Amino acid sequence: MSLNLALSAGISGLQTAQKGLDLVSHNLANINTPGYTRKIFNPESVVLNGSGVGVQTGTIARRVDEGLNRDLREELAKYTEYNTKASYYQRMQDLFGKPASNNSISHTLTAFGQQFDTLALETDKSTQQMATVRSAQELTSQFNTISTRLQQMRLTADQDIAGAVAEVNDHLKNIDTLNDEITLGVATGRDVTDLQDKRDLEVQQLTELVDVTTFERPGGALVVYTKGGSTLLDADPIPVSFTASSSVTAWDSKGGGDFSAISVGGSDITGEIGAGKLAALIDMRDKTVPAYQSQMDELAGKFSDSINQIHNRGTSQPTIANSYSGTTTFIAPATQTMALTTGDVAITLFNADGTQKATTTLKTIVPAVATGEDISTVTTAIQTWLNSGTGGGLTGATATVDANGKVQIALGTNTASLAFRDQASTTAGSTAGDVTIAYDADGTGTTDQTVSGFANFLGLNDMFVANGGQWMADSDVKAQNWTPNVGGALTFYDSDNPPGGTAIGTLTVAPNETLKDIALKINSDTALSAKLEAEVVQDGDGYRLRIKDRAGKDMVITQTAGVGTGLIEQLGLKDSKAGLSGQLRVNQSLLDDSSRISRGAVLFNSDTGQYYISAGDNTTANQLAKSFQTAVSFDAAGGVTTGARSFSDYAALTLSQNASEASSVATNVSYQGQLADTLQLKSAEISAVNMDEELSQLLVWEQMYRASAKVISTAADMLDVLNSIIR
């Protein structure tokens, strides 16, 4: 009986050694296989009725540290996130230019300002006039290019999200397939370690796309869900859905529903994604790139407003200015009113040589403008004066509000120039200075907006124009839980429901309501939501309330309280600048005739008691040049806080901010890369196949195989001897 046990024990040893040799061979064959972990087993003695009867192979196991693997996956997710961001920051740096480079927006602004310095010295030089307009065109072109490419980046990010979501679904399907094979193998007692390696590799690649959490069920199946708790895979994978956009504009936002949600089972999980490639792409599309767009729009808005205000004061003598086309839109000119709360406006016609032909003041021809007069009446009064014998005596001259709601003034074939001079009073030659205009947008007697400068208010001589229209309004940047100090009512109109008729509707806002509350009230109001939509959009670390006319009609928002105390001021609600940098262009009248650029101003000769304009006057050119060294109050936008800065300083700050953030991201890429490499090395020390170690094991199993074979051979010989004795 003992010889049989010896033979059985030898055979089991032989089989165990053979299994060990197979495992070593398998490890060595997969030494370069991605994701493969070293497989090991420990021999176990076999005991029967209290007696040892040999050895058997234990369960084959992977030599892995699950905690270390989780850490590695998390750090790889962060590395992928930063690495994805780094590529976008590099593109933005190439776009903005470096702060000291000659192609940066800051340098272009400075170069444009220098053109006015030269223009002030060479007011009569047509070449300098052309050079100044050309420089303005180069500046607007750069603004346009930056805006266009920023939106292209957002579109690329959105489309890359679609690609990443498709990869996520592929990995979930692969994990599900491996789950089925593993659970079957566990149930039937087969070795599933290689399948587990493949599944771990799929999980790692999935984690690089989106941060997930996993746990393994007793049967061997792996459950995958987001950090926010949304299940991605349990019994079956739940597909992640997303539809890429075909185009993106500066005012598109996730908050406004302009982008598809990343959803699972109908639930939006976009906000649950905190790391990985998807997190980086979402951040670029919804926060980082829009923040820089907002900064460019703020710069373009403050820059164009400042230059236009000064340019509207000016004259272009000796070029005859016999027509003006306003840029401000009045959707109800017979209802909307303006009041000169300070000063008066001298309206003067000049002969070809710059001498006065006829003059009056706005308060003289429209006395009611001191307290408030509608826009149509104001323009009619100007036309009447131009035509009258006691005034300009210009037959055929017109001043009207056209079908688009813009003021148009034309002197026809008359060879006279028309110019406006804001001044302190109706007295001829009183101190020049922009008048203050109180604008009542619905004619209810409540001021809704204050504007400086008569020609500037109408946009009669703007240097820069935009095609955006007045269909969208934005609040200032506010904290997420900001509430107004006062309540009030906002009334909404558009060109289909203009002031003087039935409004779209009125919204009452309480002092304790957040931007989100206000947007929800607009969207849930049947009358308002039929025409308008409201949303809260992220801008840097803050948020804006954005209200849009659904049909893209010019919109007017008025309030019940006066300027300075009302809800509009609390919100900072005004025509949106979103996308302005992409729409800014030089006024076509200047492109057609660069000599129309303002250089001088309406002057007063105290000796003759008359106004005059001079070809050598550089008053306005000097003011334009000085504006580039003057600090302008910028509102908060993107990552730049409220503050007074020059145009070039604001642009340089944006460039510096971008360079700083790009450097920080690059540092994070380097750090996370090194950390991930360290963790991978540590994991490899535990899990990777070591050739020296395997060769040593090979010798062990070889010796065991030889020894077991010798036991079998000896037992067989002894059985033969025993058999011969018995015979």
Side-chain angles (χ1 to χ4, degrees):
M1 185 65 179
S2 60
L3 287 178
N4 286 332
L5 289 176
L7 186 61
S8 176
I11 292 172
S12 67
L14 196 66
Q15 291 172 336
T16 299
Q18 183 177 350
K19 185 63 177 180
L21 290 171
D22 289 342
L23 200 57
V24 168
S25 175
H26 188 57
N27 284 339
L28 289 172
N30 285 280
I31 195 169
N32 293 317
T33 301
Y36 183 83
T37 59
R38 182 173 181 244
K39 307 303 185 300
I40 57 174
F41 76 89
N42 294 314
E44 299 175 354
S45 61
V46 179
V47 178
L48 184 62
N49 293 327
S51 301
V53 292
V55 67
Q56 67 180 6
T57 59
T59 302
I60 297 175
R62 304 181 303 151
R63 193 166 68 174
V64 296
D65 185 329
E66 294 294 350
L68 181 60
N69 282 350
R70 282 194 297 270
D71 291 342
L72 174 59
R73 287 196 290 265
E74 288 181 4
E75 300 309 326
L76 282 174
K78 293 178 183 178
Y79 171 75
T80 306
E81 177 184 350
Y82 287 125
N83 200 38
T84 302
K85 286 183 177 181
S87 65
Y88 279 85
Y89 272 106
Q90 182 59 57
R91 291 169 62 185
M92 282 189 282
Q93 283 197 287
D94 293 341
L95 177 59
F96 289 130
K98 292 183 171 55
S101 65
N102 291 335
N103 64 345
S104 71
I105 186 68
S106 178
H107 177 83
T108 307
L109 276 163
T110 300
F112 179 49
Q114 292 170 347
Q115 292 295 337
F116 285 115
D117 288 325
T118 307
L119 183 65
L121 299 174
E122 302 176 352
T123 57
D124 58 339
K125 296 288 184 64
S126 61
T127 53
Q128 183 54 39
Q129 295 162 10
M130 292 173 62
T132 305
V133 172
R134 186 167 56 250
S135 181
Q137 198 170 16
E138 290 172 356
L139 177 60
T140 57
S141 177
Q142 188 166 6
F143 269 124
N144 298 164
T145 298
I146 289 173
S147 179
T148 298
R149 290 182 59 185
L150 285 175
Q151 298 316 306
Q152 287 174 345
M153 286 184 204
R154 296 183 72 201
L155 178 60
T156 298
D158 192 66
Q159 293 173 340
D160 285 349
I161 289 173
V165 166
E167 290 183 54
V168 167
N169 285 326
D170 287 342
H171 289 306
L172 290 174
K173 288 179 183 177
N174 292 341
I175 294 171
D176 181 57
T177 300
L178 290 167
N179 271 350
D180 292 342
E181 295 178 6
I182 289 170
T183 53
L184 178 61
V186 170
T188 57
R190 292 190 292 109
D191 175 24
V192 296
T193 54
D194 284 347
L195 294 173
Q196 290 173 328
D197 285 347
K198 291 180 179 180
R199 188 174 66 182
D200 280 356
L201 184 59
E202 291 287 343
V203 171
Q204 178 177 308
Q205 293 170 345
L206 174 64
T207 308
E208 290 177 18
L209 295 170
V210 56
D211 51 335
V212 296
T213 301
T214 65
F215 76 89
E216 187 172 335
R217 293 194 182 280
L222 198 69
V223 179
V224 182
Y225 51 93
T226 67
K227 288 292 182 69
S230 297
T231 303
L232 299 177
L233 170 65
D234 195 347
D236 294 297
I238 304 174
V240 183
S241 63
F242 178 81
T243 303
S245 301
S246 58
S247 63
V248 175
T249 63
W251 48 86
D252 286 340
S253 69
K254 177 65 171 60
D258 301 302
F259 295 109
S260 168
I262 301 174
S263 60
V264 174
S267 299
D268 187 352
I269 66 165
T270 308
E272 299 179 16
I273 300 172
K277 184 178 181 179
L278 272 175
L281 294 172
I282 293 168
D283 181 272
M284 287 293 125
R285 186 195 66 183
D286 296 340
K287 182 179 179 181
T288 300
V289 177
Y292 284 107
Q293 176 72 58
S294 181
Q295 289 171 216
M296 286 293 100
D297 292 339
E298 176 66 16
L299 174 59
K302 282 293 168 43
F303 167 74
S304 59
D305 286 348
S306 298
I307 296 300
N308 284 345
Q309 183 171 3
I310 298 171
H311 198 264
N312 272 290
R313 300 171 188 158
T315 63
S316 56
Q317 182 68 9
T319 299
I320 295 175
N322 62 355
S323 66
Y324 292 97
S325 181
T327 59
T328 304
T329 300
F330 300 99
I331 65 175
T335 300
Q336 297 169 307
T337 66
M338 58 173 287
L340 298 186
T341 58
T342 63
D344 200 355
V345 182
I347 305 172
T348 308
L349 287 168
F350 296 95
N351 297 309
D353 62 358
T355 58
Q356 178 180 304
K357 177 180 178 67
T359 189
T360 188
T361 70
L362 191 60
K363 285 183 177 179
T364 299
I365 61 175
V366 194
V369 80
T371 56
E373 186 59 271
D374 67 82
I375 307 301
S376 292
T377 299
V378 171
T379 56
T380 299
I382 293 174
Q383 177 174 304
T384 300
W385 179 79
L386 290 173
N387 296 154
S388 68
T390 56
L394 303 182
T395 303
T398 59
T400 60
V401 181
D402 67 14
N404 295 318
K406 294 177 169 56
V407 173
Q408 304 290 338
I409 301 176
L411 305 187
T413 58
N414 298 285
T415 58
S417 286
L418 176 65
F420 303 91
R421 181 181 193 261
D422 290 4
Q423 55 190 31
S425 69
T426 58
T427 303
S430 59
T431 305
D434 289 341
V435 297
T436 300
I437 296 172
Y439 177 49
D440 180 1
D442 56 1
T444 59
T446 300
T447 299
D448 297 300
Q449 184 183 2
T450 57
V451 183
S452 294
F454 174 70
N456 181 55
F457 170 63
L458 301 177
L460 295 178
N461 195 23
D462 285 351
M463 186 173 196
F464 297 101
V465 296
N467 298 324
Q470 299 167 203
W471 65 281
M472 179 169 57
D474 279 352
S475 73
D476 288 337
V477 176
K478 307 291 187 183
Q480 189 171 18
N481 296 319
W482 174 90
T483 58
N485 294 327
V486 297
L490 300 176
T491 303
F492 300 88
Y493 303 90
D494 66 10
S495 54
D496 287 339
N497 300 82
T502 303
I504 295 172
T506 298
L507 178 74
T508 301
V509 178
N512 63 342
E513 292 182 322
T514 65
L515 297 182
K516 188 175 181 180
D517 293 333
I518 297 171
L520 183 61
K521 287 182 75 171
I522 292 174
N523 292 331
S524 59
D525 184 293
T526 305
L528 292 175
S529 61
K531 288 284 191 125
L532 309 175
E533 61 177 314
E535 59 203 50
V536 177
V537 298
Q538 188 168 8
D539 191 339
D541 292 327
Y543 297 85
R544 293 185 190 272
L545 171 66
R546 176 166 293 165
I547 305 171
K548 302 176 185 175
D549 188 279
R550 291 183 183 275
K553 304 286 185 180
D554 286 328
M555 179 176 59
V556 169
I557 305 174
T558 63
Q559 60 186 354
T560 52
V563 167
T565 60
L567 187 59
I568 286 179
E569 285 70 40
Q570 286 282 307
L571 289 166
L573 201 61
K574 59 182 75 72
D575 289 340
S576 177
K577 296 176 185 174
L580 177 63
S581 58
Q583 300 164 347
L584 199 66
R585 58 184 175 84
V586 179
N587 198 322
Q588 189 61 44
S589 64
L590 294 177
L591 297 177
D592 294 339
D593 182 2
S594 59
S595 68
R596 283 290 303 266
I597 191 170
S598 292
R599 305 177 294 282
V602 176
L603 305 174
F604 183 74
N605 188 326
S606 58
D607 293 332
T608 63
Q610 291 189 331
Y611 295 104
Y612 70 97
I613 51 178
S614 170
D617 179 29
N618 63 359
T619 301
T620 301
N622 277 328
Q623 290 178 356
L624 287 166
K626 185 179 179 181
S627 69
F628 284 82
Q629 281 76 51
T630 304
V632 176
S633 180
F634 285 90
D635 296 328
V640 179
T641 58
T642 302
R645 304 172 179 88
S646 69
F647 304 135
S648 58
D649 283 348
Y650 187 94
L653 179 61
T654 298
L655 268 62
S656 176
Q657 175 192 2
N658 183 256
S660 176
E661 290 181 1
S663 176
S664 176
V665 168
T667 299
N668 286 332
V669 170
S670 177
Y671 172 76
Q672 288 298 144
Q674 292 175 5
L675 180 57
D677 287 344
T678 300
L679 291 174
Q680 282 181 321
L681 182 60
K682 184 66 177 176
S683 178
E685 290 176 356
I686 298 171
S687 302
V689 177
N690 183 294
M691 184 173 292
D692 292 337
E693 189 174 2
E694 294 301 319
L695 289 177
S696 66
Q697 283 295 308
L698 185 65
L699 293 175
V700 170
W701 295 122
E702 182 184 9
Q703 292 297 325
M704 180 178 176
Y705 192 90
R706 286 179 177 176
S708 297
K710 187 64 175 176
V711 169
I712 293 170
S713 175
T714 302
D717 290 344
M718 292 177 69
L719 283 171
D720 288 342
V721 171
L722 181 60
N723 188 47
S724 63
I725 292 173
I726 294 173
R727 287 182 180 179

